[in-house]
């Protein structure tokens, strides 16, 4: 029962990401931040950013790499944590069975 | 052994930084408010507002780890969850992409203050390595993602639980609305800094909310679903510790 709900949750997330790709034509799905940048230049045409990022990825390929690194690091820790808890809970259950 | 691993990790980060510094800069796109895109007085204002929350967050983390050293792994997990989710740029119905925040989970488990520190670390990583967001705008971005979002999430979780709603529903709504609140606040921050010539702050707010908040609605739902998913896993393997950590907050965060 629980396994089934979890798969449903994952399917929901995937659908939410895929449906826009199918429904919205003629868009390259740029970041909403880029759109905000344009909006600022409409509202305040004379505004100039007064500070530049200290370092920027040299191109979109490197940027993708860094995003992948960020996701991988996070997923690694989440996976480690859940795996650790799972192992521990199974160990405990085994201990209880052996004691009984 | 552990020290060595930390050393090599730091070395790798330093290497990345050096590599990026040497490379030529290009036009910036930032998630949240981009570097330099808030006028100085607003940048300073949001930094000043954010710092007290950060200090309280540090105190909260110190208290939690002192009372329950074994909660450190769960703390790492909450931070890592934010780390993954804010790296996922998901396409949305408006034809642009944005990312979830992942801050609702930690806020529900540990209370909202903890996220002011964990969220700020994620934002710092993105500002330094990815040029997404920025150092000058970090105060504003941290207020929206690491403070107000988590507080909204926590408040909604508590309210739904008190109304005797199901816990899963409470988690879903908390994570989804906390995510949405983050982007509503971002829109407000931009509107305050850039009021429209006609219509003022309100007109600007609607414009920015049209970009951020509407893009965010399906992503907020995704975040709600993912948060319930992680909760389900933790509950099946570590229910007691999860409940014990949660009960810490009730004795004053």
């Amino acid at each position: 029962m629980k396994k089934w709900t979890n798969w449903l949750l994952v399917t929901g997330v995937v659908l939410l990401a895929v449906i826009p790709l199918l429904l919205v034509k003629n868009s390259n799905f740029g970041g909403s931040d880029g759109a905000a940048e344009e909006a600022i230049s409409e509202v305040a045409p004379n505004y100039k950013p007064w500070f530049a990022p200290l370092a920027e990825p040299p191109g979109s390929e490197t940027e993708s790499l860094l995003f992948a690194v960020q996701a991988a690091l996070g997923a690694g820790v989440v996976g480690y944590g859940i795996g650790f808890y799972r192992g521990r809970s199974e160990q405990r259950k085994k201990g209880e069975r052996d004691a009984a | 052994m552990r020290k060595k691993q930390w050393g090599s990790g730091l070395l790798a980060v330093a290497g990345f930084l050096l590599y990026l510094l040497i490379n030529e800069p290009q036009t910036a796109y930032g998630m949240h408010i981009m570097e330099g895109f808030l006028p100085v007085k607003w940048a300073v204002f949001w930094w000043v507002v954010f710092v007290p929350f950060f200090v309280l967050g540090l105190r909260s983390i110190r208290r939690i780890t002192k009372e329950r050293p074994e909660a450190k792994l769960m703390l790492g997990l909450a931070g890592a969850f934010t780390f993954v989710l804010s790296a996922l740029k998901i396409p949305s119905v408006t034809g642009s992409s944005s990312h979830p925040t992942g801050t609702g989970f930690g806020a529900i488990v540990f209370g909202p203050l903890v996220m002011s520190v964990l969220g700020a670390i994620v934002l710092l990583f993105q500002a330094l390595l990815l040029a997404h967001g920025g150092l000058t705008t970090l105060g504003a971005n941290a207020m929206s993602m690491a403070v107000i979002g988590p507080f909204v999430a926590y408040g909604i979780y508590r309210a739904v639980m008190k109304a005797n709603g199901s816990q899963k529903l409470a988690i879903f709504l908390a994570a989804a609305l906390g995510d949405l609140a983050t982007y509503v606040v971002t829109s407000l921050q931009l509107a305050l800094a850039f009021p429209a010539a006609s219509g003022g702050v309100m007109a600007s707010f609607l414009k920015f909310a049209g970009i951020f908040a509407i893009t965010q609605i399906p992503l907020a739902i995704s975040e709600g679903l993912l948060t319930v998913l992680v909760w389900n896993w933790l509950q099946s393997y570590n229910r007691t510790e999860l409940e014990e950590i949660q009960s810490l907050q009730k004795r004053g965060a």
Side-chain angles (χ1 to χ4, degrees), chain A residues 6 9-10 12-13 16-17 20-21 24 27 29-37 39-40 42-44 47 49-58 63 66-67 70-71 73-75 77-78 80-82 84-86 88-89, chain B residues 20-21 26-30 34-40 73-74 77 80 83-84 86-87 89-93 95-97 126 129-132 135-136 194-195 207-208 211-212 218 221-222 225 229 232-234 237-238 241:
Chain A
N6 285 350
L9 291 170
V10 174
V13 173
L16 278 168
L21 291 175
V24 186
S27 170
F29 291 96
S32 58
D33 43 308
E37 211 171 311
I40 291 175
E42 279 171 36
V43 177
Y47 184 77
W50 56 280
F51 197 85
L54 298 177
E56 283 182 61
E63 197 185 316
L66 289 168
F67 267 110
Q70 187 188 339
L73 285 174
V77 174
V78 172
Y80 172 83
I82 291 175
F84 174 86
Y85 291 140
R86 177 177 183 163
R88 195 178 60 179
S89 89
Chain B
L20 291 169
L21 278 168
Q26 291 177 354
T27 333
Y29 291 103
M34 302 71 77
E35 185 75 284
F37 267 83
L38 269 188
V40 183
L73 182 57
M74 190 69 84
L77 221 144
F83 219 65
V84 191
S86 60
K89 292 201 269 183
I90 304 175
S92 181
V93 282
S96 55
S97 301
Q126 290 193 321
L129 288 178
L130 292 151
H132 278 220
L135 295 177
T136 60
F194 299 104
K207 193 182 179 89
F208 289 118
I211 294 166
F212 281 116
I221 299 171
S222 293
L225 297 176
L229 181 69
N232 280 346
W233 281 336
L234 286 173
Y237 303 129
N238 196 22
E241 197 184 312

Side-chain angles (χ1 to χ4, degrees), chain B residues 59-73:
Chain B
R59 277 179 52 188
S60 175
I61 288 180
R62 203 176 315 142
R63 195 181 64 91
I64 289 166
T65 50
K66 211 167 145 192
E67 281 186 37
R68 299 195 66 88
E70 70 275 21
K72 278 179 194 157
L73 182 57

Side-chain angles (χ1 to χ4, degrees), chain A residues 1-24:
Chain A
M1 157 55 187
K2 191 150 261 172
K3 240 175 207 159
W4 181 78
T5 17
N6 285 350
W7 281 112
L8 207 66
L9 291 170
V10 174
T11 315
V13 173
V14 172
L15 281 180
L16 278 168
V18 171
I19 288 170
L21 291 175
L22 300 175
L23 289 185
V24 186

